[in-house]
Amino acid sequence: MDVRIAEDWKEILKDEFSKPYFEELVSFVKQEYASGEVFPAGRNIFRAFDKCPFDKLKVVIIGQDPYHGEGQANGLCFSVSEGVPFPPSLKNIFKEVSDDIGTPIPRSGELDRWAEQGVLMLNAVLTVRAHNAASHAGRGWETFTDAVVKAIAERKQGVVYMLWGSYAQRKGAIANPKQNLILHAVHPSPLSAYRGFFGCKHFSQANNYLVSIGKEPVQW
């Protein structure tokens, strides 16, 4: 199956694209886009991969489900497009970045600038029906994104995994802590951020680790 995704990722993930589950997933997703409003726009489903080439990848952030409100989801977990108000979790992420390393809270919630520095911002599920959270969960996306995390773990060392919340921690459990930096915290949602996301200092820890292994720090 010809999937429109960055060429380096296409080569790495090519075996997934021919598996029965993925063909069923594509059929389901196409039907959903044809019959109603689905986010993100079709061209942005694999945008996280397009913006972060595999050879540049040095940080993995795992989300769960795309935003399901109008104009929010843009293919990168936690990110929103230019001009879109910050969702609560993104507000909390920016607050922690600012408290941790002193970066001013930006005017835009578009996180392309992170992705282009090697931060893969991967949702576990890559599509969602409008105003219907988790509506595309359990349809095969989780199997695909598990394969993505497995491919990274097998092919790369010296990667920072930012695993926020129990869901992300389970998904990232395959990464070897002896060969990478694994950072755990609660989810940045307002429901949990005050229980350990604020003050986790993941962004400074990530940069200190990257510098220690000879990589460029991320300009958060």
Side-chain angles (χ1 to χ4, degrees):
M1 178 176 293
D2 185 31
V3 176
R4 294 192 332 195
I5 190 172
E7 287 300 321
D8 55 350
W9 285 105
K10 180 181 282 192
E11 178 62 24
I12 290 164
L13 299 169
K14 61 185 178 183
D15 290 345
E16 296 302 307
F17 300 140
S18 60
K19 291 180 179 178
Y21 88 85
F22 194 84
E23 294 180 3
E24 292 174 11
L25 170 63
V26 168
S27 177
F28 165 75
V29 169
K30 284 182 175 178
Q31 184 177 8
E32 287 285 284
Y33 275 90
S35 61
E37 193 172 18
V38 176
F39 301 130
R43 67 183 180 278
N44 289 335
I45 292 174
F46 295 107
R47 191 162 174 267
F49 303 93
D50 299 336
K51 286 290 179 181
C52 179
F54 185 80
D55 65 344
K56 287 184 66 175
L57 186 153
K58 54 192 179 188
V59 179
V60 176
I61 298 177
I62 297 177
Q64 190 163 349
D65 201 42
Y67 297 125
H68 56 84
E70 293 289 340
Q72 291 182 309
N74 67 8
L76 309 182
C77 71
F78 297 109
S79 175
V80 292
S81 295
E82 189 82 31
V84 176
F86 300 167
S89 291
L90 183 57
K91 281 185 183 178
N92 289 340
I93 290 169
F94 285 152
K95 181 181 186 305
E96 176 58 23
V97 171
S98 182
D99 290 348
D100 184 12
I101 60 176
T103 302
I105 292 175
R107 299 178 68 176
S108 171
E110 188 169 73
L111 299 180
D112 290 24
R113 60 189 182 278
W114 292 5
E116 289 163 359
Q117 295 177 77
V119 182
L120 179 67
M121 312 196 65
L122 179 68
N123 272 317
V125 176
L126 300 188
T127 55
V128 67
R129 200 177 302 144
H131 314 299
N132 192 347
S135 50
H136 287 186
R139 292 289 187 161
W141 279 128
E142 296 93 338
T143 302
F144 173 71
T145 52
D146 279 348
V148 173
V149 177
K150 183 172 185 284
I152 296 167
E154 290 177 347
R155 289 170 169 81
K156 274 189 176 281
Q157 299 180 11
V159 174
V160 180
Y161 292 81
M162 293 184 173
L163 306 178
W164 301 333
S166 58
Y167 185 92
Q169 289 162 20
R170 288 193 300 271
K171 200 166 188 72
I174 190 172
N176 187 339
K178 295 180 180 178
Q179 299 174 336
N180 306 280
L181 178 63
I182 317 296
L183 299 174
H184 289 179
V186 298
H187 195 275
S189 160
L191 298 174
S192 56
Y194 285 94
R195 300 202 305 268
F197 182 76
F198 292 140
C200 69
K201 299 190 179 299
H202 280 187
F203 302 96
S204 58
Q205 289 185 66
N207 279 355
N208 290 341
Y209 174 77
L210 292 170
V211 169
S212 77
I213 59 172
K215 295 183 180 181
E216 285 289 319
V218 176
Q219 300 300 311
W220 300 108

